[in-house]
Amino acid sequence: MSVANLLKQNFIDGGPGFMILHYLMWILVIYFTVIANKSIRNKNYKKLEKLNTTILFIGGFGLLFSLFYRTMGMYSAFSVLETTSDISPTLVAGGLKASLVAPLYSLFLFLVCGVIWFFLRLKIIDKNPAG
């Protein structure tokens, strides 16, 4: 399976509504990271600190939002399971697997944001005369 097919399948499994927001968060993080690198070159540390905080916030918000989204989906799924008498374990396992797609993508986003935050924070501490 190619990477494009895997991303397409995960987009469908994770729920297009959330996955669009997730991909927008990735675009924002990349955009803010590029601006932060320009701020490092221009020695604009006030702007760098704001961007650094924003990048970490986007990662944390994405993770919390995906957990909220997953919890809503699991609640709906368990409501259906409660009313149905005969459920295949394979079907339940497939549903649990699909419910983990969005949190996995968001956890990866949060990890990347944490690494970016750490390196930008080091730049702020090392280069900022007031820090």
Side-chain angles (χ1 to χ4, degrees):
M1 180 179 265
S2 70
V3 173
N5 287 338
L6 181 65
L7 288 175
K8 181 180 174 185
Q9 186 60 42
N10 285 339
F11 181 80
I12 293 167
D13 289 345
F18 172 75
M19 295 305 282
I20 287 173
L21 291 174
H22 186 329
Y23 289 136
L24 287 174
M25 286 183 216
W26 270 105
I27 291 169
L28 283 173
V29 167
I30 292 167
Y31 175 74
F32 288 138
T33 302
V34 169
I35 293 176
N37 283 330
K38 289 180 183 178
S39 296
I40 291 171
R41 287 190 207 120
N42 296 335
K43 299 182 191 269
N44 188 351
Y45 296 106
K46 291 285 185 190
K47 186 174 183 179
L48 182 61
E49 286 184 34
K50 289 179 184 178
L51 289 168
N52 198 24
T53 304
T54 303
I55 290 169
L56 189 62
F57 174 78
I58 291 171
F61 180 77
L63 182 61
L64 290 174
F65 186 69
S66 73
L67 293 175
F68 173 72
Y69 184 78
R70 178 176 187 252
T71 304
M72 281 184 4
M74 294 299 292
Y75 181 80
S76 298
F78 287 135
S79 295
V80 171
L81 288 175
E82 186 177 45
T83 60
T84 308
S85 61
D86 188 27
I87 299 292
S88 165
T90 306
L91 185 65
V92 174
L96 289 173
K97 178 183 165 191
S99 75
L100 290 174
V101 171
L104 284 173
Y105 272 64
S106 292
L107 183 59
F108 185 66
L109 173 67
F110 184 67
L111 291 172
V112 169
C113 288
V115 169
I116 292 169
W117 175 85
F118 178 75
F119 284 115
L120 291 178
R121 190 74 199 145
L122 287 177
K123 289 289 185 186
I124 292 169
I125 291 170
D126 288 345
K127 303 291 182 180
N128 193 354

